[in-house]
Amino acid sequence: MGKYRRLFNDTLIYGLGNFLSKLIMVLLIPLYTKELNAAQFAYVDLLTNLLELLYPILTFSIADAVFRYIIDKEKDTITIFINGFYVLLFGNFLLVPTLFIINYFYPLENFLVLILLFLSNSLKSFFSQFTRGIGKSSLFALTGILNALFLLIFNFILLSHFHLGVLGYLISIVFSNLIATLILFYKANIYVYFRKIIFRTTVIFDMLKYSVPLIPNTLSWWFVNIFSRYVVMYFHGASITGLLSAAARIAGIINLLSQIFQQAWQYSSAVEFSSDDRNIFFSNVFRYYSLLLIFFGSLAISFSPLIVKYFLNTSYSRAIEFIPFLFLSAIIGAYCYFFSSLYMANMESKIIMHSTLIGAIINIVLTVIMVRTIAIGAVISIFISNCVILYIRVKRLNFIKINYNFSSWISSLIVLTLQAILWTKEEKNHLWSFVFIIVLGI
């Protein structure tokens, strides 16, 4: 029972940290939609997502490699950390010329702030993954809470009080990231690892062999979940894109439930991968995880009109059109991440890359075709591409035997899809809410 207890304890720690931090992010949605109009919200969303696209490319996803290699107790922690940090520094140096190239084709505002935003986020992510890898889960979770709390404070000061708009939004993220980085630097004793100058090209190349195949996977996920917003921007303008961006924030409720579990699951799946009863362990975890995911997913879709009413400004009311399928896509995406952790535990990152790449290509094609005529085509294409990714990962899982009732699982997903379709067409379906929840419970 030790493995289940560790997974439960880690999930509880990550859950508390994620819940409180994400709760703060949800509380910020009314402020954002009040202080930023739909066009401004679209601008900051597309801008920050551009940096998310650049991050894995320029940093070579080295933070993921550091986390995975630190878990292996036979590895030298100091050597892994310092050589991973060298790669991170090199990636940050590449940012400035990259932004200049982008600025040549598409003028960027707040150039210096964008550099600081990338730098602060890369340091925070690297230190966070290292802290999690050395087993300081509580500190990792606490830092996430404090990061969100300071983001809330800075946003209220810069947006609500000084009304700095887009600039205030970006600066708030920079300040909160820097504070979180400093907390990790001192509380996780990260400064100790800088006392030795160790340069090992073999270690760097070994980690890059693991992390580089993750880059296309991360980029593909970006094209699956984010690319459609740029297409909507092109065909339907900034205001509709702002509605889609706001709806995506609301759909983050499902991601909250998923991330609470996934951070603990990624660690447990790697640790328990070599155990004799891993098939039983993984099967049991999947069964209960799936039950909770589908149940809460149905609840989220059912109450989406109320969520929009109380969390978005009235000018964003049309965002309800996007939310049901975004919730549904988030559920499918959560399953994808579950199986992704199994492949990562087995060091098979290439399969993760291939499946996500295929999904990204499908999403790009469908988005361009569908969004031309109707904006909601953006979220439908995301749903379809996520389904393809999930199918490939389940189909190619041949190193672990997960026992589950396939027909029951598929039936539940079909019911959820019907529910999303119904809620997209009509906002008030209170009676149907109970019907769907009862059917899923059965």
Side-chain angles (χ1 to χ4, degrees):
M1 293 297 293
K3 62 188 70 177
Y4 293 100
R5 186 178 296 110
R6 179 172 58 244
L7 177 59
F8 176 78
N9 290 337
D10 286 346
T11 302
L12 189 63
I13 292 172
Y14 291 131
L16 180 61
N18 263 298
F19 177 76
L20 292 176
S21 60
K22 295 295 183 182
L23 176 62
I24 293 173
M25 297 302 293
V26 170
L27 293 175
L28 279 170
I29 295 176
L31 175 64
Y32 289 152
T33 56
K34 177 185 176 183
E35 296 294 332
L36 302 173
N37 60 43
Q40 289 176 317
F41 196 85
Y43 174 77
V44 294
D45 184 64
L46 297 180
L47 199 60
T48 52
N49 281 314
L50 173 62
L51 293 183
E52 287 186 15
L53 174 66
L54 295 177
Y55 177 76
I57 300 174
L58 299 182
T59 65
F60 303 96
S61 292
I62 195 63
D64 292 318
V66 169
F67 167 75
R68 182 61 186 88
Y69 277 73
I70 288 291
I71 293 177
D72 190 343
K73 304 303 181 184
E74 297 179 358
K75 304 288 186 181
D76 180 23
T77 303
I78 297 178
T79 303
I80 293 172
F81 172 83
I82 198 65
N83 283 276
F85 190 76
Y86 293 149
V87 177
L88 186 75
L89 280 181
F90 178 71
N92 277 275
F93 281 124
L94 293 177
L95 175 66
V96 176
T98 301
L99 287 182
F100 271 114
I101 294 173
I102 295 174
N103 187 67
Y104 178 80
F105 294 99
Y106 181 80
L108 297 172
E109 299 178 8
N110 308 307
F111 198 87
L112 179 59
V113 177
L114 292 181
I115 295 175
L116 294 176
L117 185 58
F118 185 92
L119 176 63
S120 63
N121 186 62
S122 64
L123 287 174
K124 185 198 73 173
S125 299
F126 186 85
F127 287 175
S128 295
Q129 289 291 73
F130 177 77
T131 301
R132 189 158 69 106
I134 59 178
K136 295 189 176 183
S137 303
S138 299
L139 177 59
F140 171 83
L142 177 61
T143 305
I145 297 173
L146 292 175
N147 184 27
L149 182 60
F150 279 107
L151 181 63
L152 176 68
I153 294 172
F154 286 126
N155 268 294
F156 268 103
I157 294 174
L158 300 178
L159 282 179
S160 184
H161 184 69
F162 289 103
H163 304 289
L164 293 182
V166 171
L167 181 61
Y169 179 98
L170 298 175
I171 293 177
S172 296
I173 301 176
V174 172
F175 284 168
S176 59
N177 281 347
L178 289 176
I179 291 176
T181 301
L182 289 174
I183 292 173
L184 291 170
F185 184 76
Y186 287 105
K187 291 299 182 180
N189 298 322
I190 290 178
Y191 58 87
V192 173
Y193 296 91
F194 287 101
R195 293 178 180 175
K196 291 186 178 181
I197 306 299
I198 305 172
F199 186 79
R200 297 284 188 272
T201 55
T202 53
V203 173
I204 291 176
F205 284 124
D206 194 29
M207 287 194 292
L208 288 177
K209 274 194 238 180
Y210 173 82
S211 67
V212 169
L214 294 176
I215 298 176
N217 175 66
T218 306
L219 297 183
S220 297
W221 271 120
W222 188 93
F223 277 98
V224 168
N225 294 307
I226 307 298
F227 171 76
S228 58
R229 300 181 200 178
Y230 292 85
V231 180
V232 171
M233 180 78 168
Y234 180 80
F235 286 110
H236 299 278
S239 295
I240 299 298
T241 308
L243 298 178
L244 176 58
S245 299
R249 297 290 180 96
I250 295 295
I253 294 173
I254 295 298
N255 292 328
L256 162 62
L257 296 174
S258 173
Q259 289 173 7
I260 285 175
F261 172 79
Q262 286 299 335
Q263 289 178 331
W265 174 240
Q266 187 179 7
Y267 183 86
S268 290
S269 60
V271 172
E272 299 298 334
F273 190 78
S274 301
S275 64
D276 295 332
D277 61 343
R278 66 181 186 181
N279 290 342
I280 298 175
F281 174 64
F282 291 152
S283 298
N284 289 336
V285 171
F286 176 79
R287 189 174 299 112
Y288 291 111
Y289 174 65
S290 182
L291 177 66
L292 291 173
L293 193 61
I294 291 177
F295 179 74
F296 283 108
S298 180
L299 280 178
I301 295 174
S302 298
F303 290 100
S304 53
L306 291 177
I307 295 172
V308 170
K309 180 179 179 180
Y310 290 105
F311 283 94
L312 294 182
N313 188 275
T314 53
S315 61
Y316 285 77
S317 59
R318 281 190 59 197
I320 186 63
E321 299 173 11
F322 300 104
I323 289 179
F325 264 95
L326 282 175
F327 273 136
L328 183 61
S329 299
I331 292 169
I332 303 299
Y335 281 116
C336 292
Y337 280 118
F338 178 91
F339 290 102
S340 173
S341 295
L342 299 180
Y343 285 108
M344 292 180 70
N346 198 38
M347 297 288 192
E348 293 190 25
S349 54
K350 289 183 179 179
I351 295 179
I352 301 174
M353 176 192 70
H354 291 157
S355 60
T356 317
L357 182 60
I358 293 173
I361 294 172
I362 291 174
N363 183 63
I364 292 172
V365 174
L366 290 178
T367 298
V368 173
I369 294 174
M370 299 175 70
V371 172
R372 284 173 176 268
T373 55
I374 183 170
I376 199 175
V379 294
I380 296 175
S381 63
I382 293 174
F383 166 67
I384 294 174
S385 59
N386 275 335
C387 288
V388 172
I389 295 169
L390 178 60
Y391 172 79
I392 295 173
R393 291 183 181 179
V394 172
K395 191 73 173 176
R396 299 186 66 177
L397 191 70
N398 53 19
F399 52 87
I400 287 179
K401 177 66 175 177
I402 294 184
N403 297 310
Y404 57 91
N405 191 326
F406 183 80
S407 59
S408 176
W409 181 41
I410 295 299
S411 298
S412 297
L413 294 179
I414 291 174
V415 171
L416 274 180
T417 304
L418 293 174
Q419 184 182 6
I421 294 173
L422 184 59
W423 260 250
T424 300
K425 294 174 66 64
E426 174 61 48
E427 293 185 14
K428 297 180 180 180
N429 295 284
H430 304 302
L431 178 61
W432 281 106
S433 298
F434 295 103
V435 173
F436 278 111
I437 293 171
I438 291 172
V439 170
L440 287 169
I442 296 173

